[in-house]
């Protein structure tokens, strides 16, 4: 054995060398070679074949032979019994030449070798003949609990929390008889209540997760009927239920099947049957079902299964694509669930398996295994090998035919949705938790809000206070005991002989019981409740509901609602967040003539924002120099002093709206006129079939284009389709070429959609039939995999034991539900149905005869092609190299010769086309960034000069309007020239070395001497209301940073458009990599010098990704960068990677300790969203990744305004006030007990009756605080919107501070003193009962308890700014409950406070002292709060005053003007009687 | 089910948080009137309370020292008694005097144990004016920690409610007075019961009234002194007599232990019920008897007390209190004073704020503070 070990070691070394010498690197370093031998001696052909395949390895052949030493091997076809692996291998050594190298590495861990239509090698089997390897199921489980594990698991989870442990400990302590609390029920009540409520909440949440799981797991996918997956055991014990029903047909595998893995039976079976053994149809399977794809649940899909993916279906697991309806095996997938990109990506089948066109072929024709590594979350990396095997001619063994490397291009991942492909067949490789999407869906990091973190410190303080109190009591108790021992008094109450020390010790614990309530037991559960409520309010906020996408704001993390009110830094993505990711073709410049600036399309958001800003700045400057905000406020103020308007919501906007309406009307008229012209011009030229004539869909409608396209009756030009003359091109030609370029130079794919918005299946159109596959056509179509609606019968039987009765039933139920869903959503993938909006009817354009929808890799491209389409240059279809285009009503077919792809370094894209008659020539079309194209223009032609100059001016104008520009150019080629180039290109693309560079060079050589056609201006549409929203956020003191992957110029464009930058700002740019350090210091020096001088010019910093890379290298640079950026009003980061986004967020979050919010919409924003304190996902165009990872998912950027400035501010106030009140009421409750200890010799006597003690926190005082936390509003929404600066109380964290905590603490101590001593003095030495009956301990303590409950309930009321009927109701209810509790609970003879109701309520004194103590205890707070709010009001209270003032004014006006009163405002129309008011309050 | 359900939130006042609400705002317009109103209303009310308290007459006589007194009548020193009478006519008030006698039987009629005499304190005091019933006779103990944890917990409600206790139960809840050394359970068990105050007081007698030869005895009722709820609460125990024994300090009351005839019944013994309502403060008074007959005439009165309770072992004192009540209970000026002080404080605060408001007036809804704050925030 030792020799074996030695050889393994030796091989270790060898293998590592292999790796170094260029043999393909292998993932597992620790592996063994296992030779899959075939009987090559009897099969020369195979031998050759495999030898050929192993040519590359020839030089290592020798080594390998050595390596087989000690390696295990197996034979499938051989007759050897292979009892001893070792012997076998040594045999091999001897028969060196006879070995064929079907090599199997030993695979470890979750790496895998998946066998398809092959028997498993012996080493993969255990002694029962079942596969050793077990793959995870495709069932995804995100739920935490099952029905059975819920109770123990949830309890365990809950008691892991320190607070719950503490209260459990306290409960146990109280159950110890020594401390003599005699009511176990009451002892356990609070903790049980808290735990039960939390458990119910957890249970509900988990139930939701179960439902989601069930939906994912239960979606339908199609697997091959009759296929036996060799990777799973064939013999599955019948489940109980199956046995009961005796379902034989469920388990074809139970037939005495020959496999596996006896080689003799394999050979015999294969000899008897024409087809390979694996695919043997079982007897129970009728022939017509064989090779048919049947339905199975997504959770039942297993590794090694054939799956059929149809158009619109989503892939249930990571699978290797084998073939597709496309002859070249290409399958387009939509990946937005994984990476957030909406464009379609091609995935390629295995070239050698393209012939598979039916399920039967899957069963019969293919034998291979796939080697793949451990599953990784990397979406862009995959390495694997697919090894095709051939059966030996005699059918006894296997030989390797071909090794095919497979990469990420061959993989269809779980969550991919098949598009533009009729069907595809794939082999499942990774399932369930091993699939990439699930590996990627890391748990959103659990975030805790700032207040929560701080609150925990306060809880610790409370613990310290508790400890101190207990210690004091313990020590004093010890002294008292010592004194008692020396005193006669001892005999009264303490005959025990314990030492004072022991007495002190036990007293510590009894004090703990007495004071335990200083830790608010219900605080945590209340906070959870309140935050749930706040989440509910956020969710149901109409202002954050997007009508178009039917989405409300969805809070995903419910515990961050208070952070929303404290955001100091807001990081925003650009594309899809600030902008809509909708590109609109706005303007173009053709041959120096500008089209599209005719006022047809409305002003863009960006331009509008800039205009408004400018207008706003004007009055501001006159009022107060340099202080824009003050100015704004003043205008607002004077505004409503003069015109107090009825509805405050509209105060600000009404006038503007009217103006706008006027403007709108005239604009619409102008627009209609233009459009009519446009339409007329269009019809004069051609009859549109594909062009849209819906003015609301057209961003561009310039009739001049058509006018200029009209054939001019000029002498030089005789016909529109004349051959190109050498003379200078006419405008008409230019325009034509221009739009031909747009419709031809791109990589878009087309969908035709019907009137309901559904994609017309490709079967119905000629694409498949008439595809460029020569023998394609009908035959191919007939070969398409058959699909049955029946369930695949193999699965349930083969599945695991656990799949019993219950599951089956559930499955059926679910199926029925699914069926319903199917009917609704026909062909679309169900797994992620919520986010697919193919069906949205609004994409249907009724003005179009045949509607074409373009799907492109970038939205710019789609915009360009669509624009060309609407102008009569419609791109119809792409079949391989043939592009069909409808040019002004005539269809032409272009032969695509080459595509020179776009990439970020080339910044251009070109196509070379063979044009049909009437051109009959070869042209190159090129579009790209202006600077890139400029270099490549033919500058020799002087006539171009003028055009060039004009075009450049236009380009400048475009970018000033915030448009993205592209330049278009072309040239025509002679066939000879092209042939020459083509050969060069061919050579370059097959070059062994420096291929990429060579290709680049060749491409570059082609794209020279171009003729300029013109330029396009595309609007990157801003989201609605973005500039206004950003303006308001900034007025609220939130610093907005934009982090974008776009280039600098675009970022600055958007910066201006969205109000982040304005003309008066100093822009500082940090770019590049090397100089940046010095640049930064320079900037810093200048900026701080300017600030020191009192320069009020605002600064803006623009940083490029490359600079960031450098600056993030050391902490010192990072800190300096932070410092600099904090001096700037706006910061824009461009060209940043997703990781850098997260780093920037973290830099500010940690460096400044500020609350940060990141908002983004794409997968590239996920890291940033997770890094920030609050992540907000825009649930819009780009997939769901961002909104999945986010804490709040909103539909529009502008909703941030309401989310932060209104909801956030409220929630911050609510949570702060609630927590402070919570601490307050507990301190208030505990301290009378302390005062009482003074008079009871610190004996640890519990002051309150036990029922009060336990119910105070759970019942008596909880509701008003919670209502305060749920519904209080400092200022109503319209005023918060009007005065965003109120938000600064949050950014400064003013509402929840340590100081305020101590103030509340102090107030509680004061109030406890008042309550205790009011009753103390009233009861001391006399008795308060008029009938002479003496007072007692319980009467006194109950009186204090009631007073404390009263004050503790009034306090949240006092702190409530917004008394809705809830607050009235619950304050009153709590007081009633408490006071009635004493009365009713006191009716039971067995309780301590028996009869207390009568004792207390019977006399005057109790009520009078109650009144007295309440007034006195509130007096200081009342007076101080008044003085502060009135004379030293902060923003918040000032605005409250303003609101009140406005309300009064309105009331006055209403009185003056009764017409208004009876008018449309029915809220004010009812009389002012209190009843009607109440009635309204309750509605 | 099949139709598309919009996710649009309902536009209700609740969901949109537009509920009608009262938004209280502390402005001079609301605060100043409130303060003045409190002052104006509560200060006079306080005066009323003070007056009510002053109408209560009260006599407190500390007779702790009586146990060491002699047969001769000796006046009490000034610090051992207080007289508070509403009548101005206090000139003929004599200091109370005490006198100890040894008697052969208790005031309750029970004979003294063999060979022992009962020390009885005769207390004489004067009442200068006519006292109108109801009048209440209290005993008052000081330095008696009836609120000590050990003490408070040492009782068994089960036993008092009539249930049977095992010796273990008794020891658990009544320690250290749970079971007697002979294994019998104390009934009632516990420290509270054991330390029950057992001095007994006689009726009060007017000595040598004007115009009459014989003394007038005013009968004090010892019924109705406990809360009626307590009376119905406790039951006589159902435990066999032979398992029970009286607490150690009750030996004089039950010299021969319990028999079928003299079995202790908590519901019948109101003094016990009163005692069991433990006090919250080491100085306390408990009701002994009340008087509801004719008004007490001015004169000198005598009351006899059986000195059974040795308060000195606890380091405290005992007194008798004869007092009337007002609707606020016994005499206690606190309520009146505190209301007056509160009223005054509120008024003063009101004046202060009025002045402040006068010298630094602000208008509701002025914005200047907003901009001030805004620029302040910008400077941060």
């Amino acid at each position: 054995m030792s020799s074996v070990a030695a050889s393994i070691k030796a091989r270790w070394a060898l293998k590592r060398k292999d790796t170094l010498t260029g043999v393909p690197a292998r993932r597992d370093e620790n592996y063994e070679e296992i030779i899959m031998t075939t009987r090559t001696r009897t099969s020369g052909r195979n031998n050759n074949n495999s030898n050929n395949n192993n040519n590359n390895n020839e030089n290592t052949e020798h080594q390998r032979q050595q390596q087989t030493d000690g390696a295990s091997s197996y034979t499938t076809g051989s007759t050897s019994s292979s009892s001893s692996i070792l012997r076998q291998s040594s045999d091999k050594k001897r028969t060196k030449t006879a070995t064929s190298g079907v090599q199997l590495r030993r695979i470890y861990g979750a790496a895998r070798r998946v066998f398809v239509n092959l028997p498993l090698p012996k080493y993969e089997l255990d002694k029962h003949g079942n596969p050793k390897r077990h793959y995870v199921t495709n069932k995804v489980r995100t739920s935490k609990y099952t029905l059975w594990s819920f109770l123990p698991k949830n309890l365990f989870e809950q008691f892991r929390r320190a607070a719950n442990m503490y209260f459990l400990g306290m409960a146990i302590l109280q159950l110890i008889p020594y401390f003599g609390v005699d009511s176990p029920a009451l002892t356990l009540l609070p903790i049980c209540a808290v735990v039960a409520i939390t458990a119910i909440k957890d249970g509900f949440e988990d139930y939701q997760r179960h439902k989601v799981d069930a939906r994912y797991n239960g979606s339908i996918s199609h697997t091959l009927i009759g296929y036996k997956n060799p990777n799973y055991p064939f013999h599955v014990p019948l489940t109980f239920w199956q046995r009961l029903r005796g379902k034989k047909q469920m388990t074809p595998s139970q037939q005495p099947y020959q496999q596996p893995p006896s080689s003799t039976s394999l050979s015999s079976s294969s000899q008897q049957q024409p087809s390979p053994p694996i695919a043997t149809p079982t007897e129970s399977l009728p022939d017509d079902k064989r090779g048919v794809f049947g339905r199975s649940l997504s959770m039942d899909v297993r590794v090694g299964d054939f799956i059929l993916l149809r158009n619109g279906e989503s892939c249930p697991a990571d699978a290797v694509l084998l073939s597709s309806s496309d002859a070249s095996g290409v399958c387009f997938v939509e990946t937005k669930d994984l990476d957030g990109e909406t464009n379609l990506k091609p995935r390629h089948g295995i070239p050698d398996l393209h012939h598979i066109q039916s399920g039967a072929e899957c069963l019969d024709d293919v034998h291979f295994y796939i080697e793949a590594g451990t599953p990784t979350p990397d979406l862009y990396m995959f390495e694997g090998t697919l090894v095709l095997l051939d059966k030996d001619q005699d059918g006894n063994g296997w030989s390797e035919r071909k090794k095919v490397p497979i990469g990420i291009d061959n993989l269809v991942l779980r969550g991919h949705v098949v598009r533009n492909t009729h069907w595809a067949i794939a082999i499942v490789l990774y399932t369930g938790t091993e699939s990439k999407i699930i590996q990627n869906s890391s748990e959103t990091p659990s975030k805790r809000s700032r207040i929560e973190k701080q609150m925990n410190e306060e809880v610790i303080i409370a613990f310290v206070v508790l400890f101190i109190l207990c210690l004091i009591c313990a020590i004093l108790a010890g002294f008292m005991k010592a004194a008692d021992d020396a005193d006669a008094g001892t005999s009264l109450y303490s005959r025990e002989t314990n030492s004072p020390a022991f007495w002190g010790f036990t007293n510590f614990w009894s004090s703990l019981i007495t004071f335990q309530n200083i830790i608010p037991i219900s605080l945590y559960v209340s906070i959870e409740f309140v935050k749930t409520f706040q989440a509910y309010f956020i969710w149901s906020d109409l202002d954050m509901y997007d009508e178009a996408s039917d989405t409300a704001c969805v809070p995903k993390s419910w515990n961050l609602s208070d952070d929303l009110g404290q955001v100091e830094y807001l990081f925003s993505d650009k594309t899809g967040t600030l902008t809509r990711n909708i590109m609109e073709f706005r303007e173009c410049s053709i041959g120096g003539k500008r089209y599209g600036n005719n006022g047809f399309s409305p002003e863009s958001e960006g331009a509008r924002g800039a205009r408004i800003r400018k207008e706003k700045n004007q009055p501001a400057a006159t009022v107060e120099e340099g202080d824009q905000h003050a100015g704004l406020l003043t205008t607002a103020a004077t505004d409503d002093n003069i015109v107090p308007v009825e509805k405050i919501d509209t105060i600000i906007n009404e006038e503007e709206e009217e103006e706008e309406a006027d403007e709108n009307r005239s604009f619409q008229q102008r627009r209609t006129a233009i459009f009519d012209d446009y339409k007329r011009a269009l019809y004069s030229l051609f009859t549109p079939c594909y062009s849209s004539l819906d003015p609301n869909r057209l961003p561009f409608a310039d009739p001049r284009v058509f006018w200029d396209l009209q054939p001019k009756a000029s002498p030089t030009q005789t016909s529109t389709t004349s051959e190109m003359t050498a003379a200078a091109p006419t405008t008409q030609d230019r325009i034509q070429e221009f739009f031909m370029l747009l419709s031809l130079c791109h990589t878009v794919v087309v969908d035709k959609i019907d009137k309901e918005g559904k994609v017309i299946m490709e079967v119905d159109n000629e694409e498949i039939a008439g595809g460029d596959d020569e023998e394609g056509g009908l035959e191919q179509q007939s070969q398409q995999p058959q699909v049955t609606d029946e369930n695949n019968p193999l699965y349930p039987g083969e599945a695991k034991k656990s799949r019993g009765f219950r599951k089956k039933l559930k499955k059926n139920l679910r199926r029925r539900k699914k069926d319903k869903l199917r009917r609704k959503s026909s062909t679309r993938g169900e797994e992620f149905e919520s986010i697919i909006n193919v069906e949205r009817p609004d994409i249907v354009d009724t003005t179009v005869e045949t509607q074409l929808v373009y799907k492109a890799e970038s939205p710019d491209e789609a915009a360009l092609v669509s624009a060309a389409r609407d102008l009569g240059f419609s791109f119809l279809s792409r079949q391989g190299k043939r592009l069909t285009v409808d040019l002004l009503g005539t269809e032409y077919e272009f032969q695509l010769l080459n595509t020179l792809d776009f990439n970020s370094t080339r910044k251009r894209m070109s196509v070379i086309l063979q044009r049909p008659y009437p051109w009959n020539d070869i042209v190159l079309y090129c579009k790209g960034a202006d600077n890139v194209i400029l270099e490549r223009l033919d500058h020799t032609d002087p006539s171009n000069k003028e055009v060039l100059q004009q075009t450049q001016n236009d380009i400048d104008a475009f970018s000033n309007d915030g448009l993205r520009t592209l330049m278009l150019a072309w040239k025509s080629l002679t066939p000879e020239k092209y042939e020459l180039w083509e050969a060069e290109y061919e050579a370059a693309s097959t070059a062994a070395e420096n291929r990429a560079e060579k290709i680049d060079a060749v491409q570059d050589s082609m794209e020279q001497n171009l003729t300029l056609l013109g330029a396009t201006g595309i609007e990157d549409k801003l989201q609605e209301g973005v500039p206004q929203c950003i303006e308001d956020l900034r007025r609220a003191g939130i610093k907005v940073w934009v982090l974008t992957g776009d280039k600098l110029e675009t970022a600055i464009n958007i910066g201006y458009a969205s109000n982040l930058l304005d003309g008066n700002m100093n822009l500082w740019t940090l770019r590049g990599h090397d100089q940046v350090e010095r640049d930064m210091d320079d900037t810093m020096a200048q900026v701080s010098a300017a600030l020191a001088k009192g320069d009020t010019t605002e600064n803006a910093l623009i940083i490029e990704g490359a600079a960031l890379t450098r600056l993030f290298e050391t902490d010192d640079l990072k800190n300096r960068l932070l410092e600099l950026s904090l001096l700037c009003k706006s910061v824009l980061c461009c060209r940043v990677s997703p990781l850098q986004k997260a780093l920037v967020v973290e830099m500010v979050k940690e460096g400044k300790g500020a609350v940060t919010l990141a908002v983004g919409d794409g997968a590239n924003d996920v890291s940033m969203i997770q890094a920030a304190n609050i992540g907000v996902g825009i649930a819009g165009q780009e997939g769901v990744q961002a909104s999945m990872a986010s804490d709040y998912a909103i539909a529009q950027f502008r909703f941030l305004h309401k989310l932060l400035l209104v909801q956030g501010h409220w929630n911050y106030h609510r949570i702060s006030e609630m927590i402070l009140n919570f601490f307050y009421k507990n301190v208030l409750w505990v301290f009378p007990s302390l005062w009482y200890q003074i008079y009871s010799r610190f004996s640890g006597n519990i002051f309150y009756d036990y029922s009060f003690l336990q119910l105070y926190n759970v019942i008596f005082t909880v509701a008003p605080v919670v209502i305060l936390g749920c519904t209080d509003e400092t200022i109503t929404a319209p005023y918060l919107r009007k005065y965003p600066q109120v938000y600064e109380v949050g950014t400064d964290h003013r509402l929840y501070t340590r100081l305020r905590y101590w103030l509340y603490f102090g107030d509680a101590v004061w109030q406890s003193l008042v309550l205790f001593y009011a009753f103390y003095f009233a009861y001391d030495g006399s008795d308060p009962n008029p009938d002479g009956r003496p007072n007692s301990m319980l009467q006194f303590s109950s009186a204090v308890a009631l007073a404390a409950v009263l004050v503790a309930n009034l306090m949240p009321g006092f702190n409530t700014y917004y008394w809705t009927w809830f607050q009235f109701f619950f304050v009153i209810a709590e007081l009633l409950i408490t006071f009635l509790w004493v009365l009713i609970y006191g009716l039971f003879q067995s309780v301590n406070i028996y009869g207390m109701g009568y004792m207390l309520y019977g006399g005057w004194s109790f009520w009078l002292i109650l009144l007295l103590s309440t007034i006195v205890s509130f007096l200081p707070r009342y007076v101080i709060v008044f003085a502060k709010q009135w004379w030293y009001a902060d923003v918040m209270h000032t605005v409250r005053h303003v609101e009140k003032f406005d309300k009064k004014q309105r009331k006055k006006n209403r009185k003056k003007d009764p017409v208004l009163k009876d008018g449309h405002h029915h809220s004010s129309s009812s009389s002012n009687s209190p009843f009607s008011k109440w009635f309204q309050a309750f509605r | 089910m099949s139709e598309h359900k919009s996710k649009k939130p309902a536009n209700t006042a609740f969901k949109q948080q537009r509920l009608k609400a009262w938004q209280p705002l502390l402005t001079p317009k609301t605060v100043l009137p409130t303060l003045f109103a409190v002052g104006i209303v509560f200060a006079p009310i306080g005066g009323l309370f003070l007056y009510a308290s002053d109408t209560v007459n009260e006599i407190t006589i500390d007779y702790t020292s009586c146990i060491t007194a002699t047969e001769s009548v000796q006046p009490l020193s000034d610090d051992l008694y207080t007289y508070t009478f509403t009548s101005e006519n206090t000139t003929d008030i004599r200091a109370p005097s005490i006198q100890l006698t040894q008697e052969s039987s208790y005031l309750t009629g029970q004979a003294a144990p063999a060979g022992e005499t009962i020390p009885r304190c005769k207390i004489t005091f004067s009442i200068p004016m006519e006292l109108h019933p109801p009048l209440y006779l209290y005993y008052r103990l000081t330095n008696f920690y009836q609120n000590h944890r050990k003490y408070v917990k040492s009782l068994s409600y089960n036993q008092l409610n009539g249930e049977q206790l095992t010796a273990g139960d008794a020891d658990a809840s009544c320690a250290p007075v749970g079971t007697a050394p002979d294994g019998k359970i104390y009934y009632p068990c516990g420290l509270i019961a054991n330390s029950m105050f057992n001095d007994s007081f006689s009726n009060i007698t007017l000595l040598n009234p004007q115009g009459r030869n014989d003394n007038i005895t005013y009968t004090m009722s010892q019924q109705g002194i406990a809360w009626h709820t307590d009376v119905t609460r406790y039951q006589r125990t159902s435990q066999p007599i032979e398992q029970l024994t009286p607490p150690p300090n009750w030996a004089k009351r039950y010299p021969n232990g319990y028999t079928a005839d003299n079995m202790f019944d908590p519901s019948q013994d109101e003094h016990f019920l009163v005692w069991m309502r433990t006090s919250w403060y080491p100085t306390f008074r408990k009701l002994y008897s009340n008087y509801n007959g004719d008004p007490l005439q001015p004169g000198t009165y005598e009351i006899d007390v059986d000195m059974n309770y040795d308060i000195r072992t606890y380091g405290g004192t005992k007194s008798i209190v004869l007092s009337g009540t007002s609707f606020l209970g016994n005499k206690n000026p606190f309520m009146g004073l505190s209301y007056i002080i509160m009223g005054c404080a509120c008024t003063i605060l009101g004046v202060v704020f009025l002045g402040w408001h006068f010298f630094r007036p602000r208008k509701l809804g002025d914005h200047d503070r907003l901009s001030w704050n805004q620029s302040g925030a910008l400077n941060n």
Side-chain angles (χ1 to χ4, degrees), chain B residues 175-242:
Chain B
V177 194
T179 50
D182 59 3
K184 284 187 175 178
I185 297 167
Y186 287 124
Y187 177 65
C189 70
L191 278 170
I192 309 177
N194 186 41
S195 62
M196 180 177 158
F197 184 77
N198 56 0
D199 280 4
S200 36
F201 300 90
S202 69
N203 296 323
I204 54 172
T205 311
L206 177 58
L207 300 174
N208 309 315
Q210 285 170 333
R212 285 180 62 166
N213 296 332
D214 55 333
N215 298 337
I216 305 173
T217 301
Y218 294 92
T219 312
M220 311 286 287
S221 166
Q222 298 185 22
Q223 297 301 312
I225 53 171
W227 294 97
H228 67 89
T229 48
D230 285 356
V231 177
T232 56
R233 185 186 196 181
Y234 297 144
Q235 312 278 320
R236 188 172 145 161
T237 182
S238 54
Q239 202 146 13
I241 293 166
E242 56 274 14

Side-chain angles (χ1 to χ4, degrees), chain A residues 156-377:
Chain A
F156 176 73
E157 289 285 328
Q158 286 205 42
F159 283 108
R160 280 203 320 200
R161 292 178 208 156
N164 283 349
M165 259 333 259
Y166 164 77
F167 288 111
L168 184 69
M170 289 310 303
I172 291 168
L173 191 67
Q174 288 168 75
L175 288 175
I176 297 173
Y178 183 85
F179 298 104
V181 168
D182 39 29
S183 177
L186 277 178
T187 309
L188 293 173
L189 182 79
I191 181 78
C192 286
V194 167
V195 168
I197 290 170
T198 315
I200 289 169
K201 193 198 114 225
D202 288 351
F204 178 74
E205 280 177 11
D206 208 50
Y207 174 68
Q208 299 295 334
R209 274 186 227 117
H210 271 289
K211 282 211 298 207
V212 173
D213 285 355
R215 211 185 67 178
Y216 280 0
N217 289 327
S219 60
I220 305 287
S221 46
H222 291 90
T223 50
L224 191 56
I225 295 180
Y227 173 65
K228 285 183 179 304
N229 192 332
N231 301 291
Y232 284 84
F234 292 116
H235 295 272
V236 173
L238 277 180
T239 61
F240 174 71
W241 179 245
Q242 287 162 351
R243 225 172 298 162
L244 212 66
R245 302 212 352 212
K247 265 192 100 180
K248 274 275 156 69
Q249 80 277 18
M250 295 278 291
T251 57
S253 54
Q254 280 179 306
Q255 306 296 331
Y257 188 58
Q258 304 90 328
Q259 279 289 350
S262 150
S263 48
T264 48
S265 59
L266 170 64
S267 53
S268 62
S269 74
S270 57
Q271 273 160 3
Q272 286 154 10
Q273 293 175 350
S275 58
I278 313 298
T280 309
T282 50
E283 288 88 320
S284 59
L285 203 62
D287 259 358
D288 59 332
K289 291 279 168 58
R290 193 175 165 278
V292 171
F293 285 90
R295 283 163 39 168
S296 59
L297 297 180
S298 146
M299 66 176 177
D300 293 335
V301 170
R302 304 171 309 170
V303 172
D305 278 347
F306 284 97
I307 49 170
L308 177 75
L309 303 166
R310 298 188 296 182
N311 198 8
E313 280 182 346
S314 128
C315 187
D318 291 1
V320 176
L321 183 66
L322 298 182
S323 64
S324 77
S325 53
D326 184 85
S328 51
V330 174
C331 165
F332 287 96
V333 290
E334 195 172 72
T335 60
K336 65 179 174 186
D337 282 320
L338 285 107
D339 55 14
E341 294 172 29
T342 36
N343 55 332
L344 298 183
K345 295 199 177 72
R347 293 286 152 124
H348 301 281
I350 305 300
D352 299 73
L353 297 174
H354 286 168
H355 61 278
I356 300 176
Q357 297 289 318
S358 71
E361 280 168 296
C362 296
L363 290 177
D364 301 340
D365 295 353
V366 288
H367 309 284
F368 58 87
Y369 63 84
I370 299 171
E371 287 179 353
T374 318
T376 58

Side-chain angles (χ1 to χ4, degrees), chain A residues 1006-1025:
Chain A
M1006 179 48 111
E1007 296 161 324
Q1008 294 292 353
N1009 295 326
L1010 306 176
T1011 311
L1012 179 68
L1013 279 173
T1016 57
I1018 298 172
E1019 185 193 353
D1020 189 358
K1021 286 198 87 165
L1022 277 183
Q1023 299 263 11
E1024 213 178 309

Side-chain angles (χ1 to χ4, degrees), chain B residues 341-365:
Chain B
I341 293 169
M342 182 177 78
C344 294
C346 286
T347 314
I348 291 168
L349 281 169
V351 171
V352 167
F353 283 128
L354 192 64
W356 196 346
H357 183 56
F358 184 74
F359 288 109
R360 277 192 63 190
R362 289 211 162 271
K363 243 185 72 194
L364 185 65

